[in-house]
Amino acid sequence: MARGRSDGEETKRRITDKAKQLFIQKGYAAVTMNEVCEAAAVSKGSLYHHFSSKDELLLQVSEEDAEQWIAEWDRIRQRLTTTEEQLYALAEHYANDFQNPLVKALEEFSRSRVITDDVFERLLKVSENTSLACRDVLREGMEQGELIAGDLDRLVIIVSSVFEGLSKLYYIDNRETAEKQIWVSEFYRDAVNLLLNGIRAK
């Protein structure tokens, strides 16, 4: 029995890995379940045993990607001490993810259909992962007296919105990827400078 569960988990992992590559390469609409079967070397029955639809597959891939983002941030944060260090590092983490092609696939998916309440909740949870990272940093900064005490919920919305809004830079500039990465990172650092001028404890 244990071996059967292990084989099933391995198959599911292979499916999500290959599906992620396809969504990145082609977007949401252009990917077919037949392509996923071929890429993952599984039968259609096996694919539908694990994922009832392409929608479900994209949501699973996106949720795992968000979890990986948080896990990587947790590893980065462990090396830092002050709130300012953490805010600059979090901004850099956002900047490094600004070209995440899965975001574009999710946007395409969201525009292509009427979203059910269940799907909406799952999409909201994916987007909230980054806000939770921001909340932890800001709460700790207030508790340790490094930031001005205030309405935490309000501040989380402001800071996370600034960070997420800067991701739109990807759509308005045609620089090469490496050059654009540096350019975007500078905007994120500038944003943290401006934010700290308003919320740093005196």
Side-chain angles (χ1 to χ4, degrees):
M1 294 296 291
R3 179 173 173 78
R5 287 195 297 271
S6 178
D7 288 346
E9 291 168 1
E10 172 58 30
T11 298
K12 187 174 182 179
R13 167 56 54 199
R14 189 165 69 251
I15 291 170
T16 54
D17 287 346
K18 295 301 182 181
K20 180 176 181 178
Q21 294 173 16
L22 287 169
F23 287 134
I24 287 173
Q25 293 167 5
K26 304 179 67 173
Y28 170 75
V31 173
T32 68
M33 293 296 262
N34 284 338
E35 286 178 303
V36 176
C37 286
E38 183 177 347
V42 298
S43 67
K44 187 169 289 188
S46 178
L47 174 60
Y48 281 101
H49 170 72
H50 292 288
F51 301 100
S52 60
S53 66
K54 187 170 71 167
D55 294 2
E56 177 63 29
L57 184 52
L58 176 65
L59 288 169
Q60 178 70 28
V61 167
S62 299
E63 287 165 349
E64 290 180 0
D65 187 70
E67 290 170 2
Q68 290 169 7
W69 190 93
I70 287 294
E72 177 61 25
W73 165 243
D74 287 341
R75 287 192 290 271
I76 293 170
R77 192 181 180 196
Q78 288 175 3
R79 305 193 298 264
L80 307 172
T81 53
T82 70
T83 299
E84 289 196 19
E85 288 176 336
Q86 292 180 44
L87 275 175
Y88 282 115
L90 182 58
E92 186 69 21
H93 196 46
Y94 267 89
N96 290 338
D97 195 54
F98 86 105
Q99 289 191 102
N100 187 337
L102 278 179
V103 174
K104 297 178 71 175
L106 268 179
E107 290 176 352
E108 183 184 357
F109 165 75
S110 300
R111 291 193 302 265
S112 67
R113 66 200 59 249
V114 176
I115 302 298
T116 64
D117 290 343
D118 177 61
V119 170
F120 177 78
E121 287 299 320
R122 292 177 68 177
L123 291 172
L124 185 62
K125 187 173 181 180
V126 168
S127 67
E128 283 180 343
N129 272 328
T130 52
S131 295
L132 290 174
C134 186
R135 174 180 294 275
D136 288 343
V137 173
L138 295 173
R139 182 181 61 244
E140 185 177 296
M142 288 182 181
E143 290 174 351
Q144 295 182 353
E146 296 181 61
L147 302 180
I148 297 172
D151 188 329
L152 178 60
D153 291 337
R154 189 180 183 88
L155 188 56
V156 169
I157 291 173
I158 293 171
V159 175
S160 60
S161 294
V162 169
F163 286 171
E164 291 165 14
L166 285 173
S167 67
K168 302 306 179 186
L169 290 169
Y170 173 74
Y171 301 103
I172 64 174
D173 189 81
N174 58 2
R175 300 167 195 254
E176 294 297 325
T177 300
E179 183 183 359
K180 182 182 287 190
Q181 182 67 56
I182 296 172
W183 182 69
V184 168
S185 294
E186 290 173 349
F187 272 95
Y188 274 91
R189 288 192 65 82
D190 288 346
V192 173
N193 288 336
L194 289 171
L195 290 166
L196 284 172
N197 284 335
I199 63 177
R200 182 189 289 116
K202 307 302 182 184

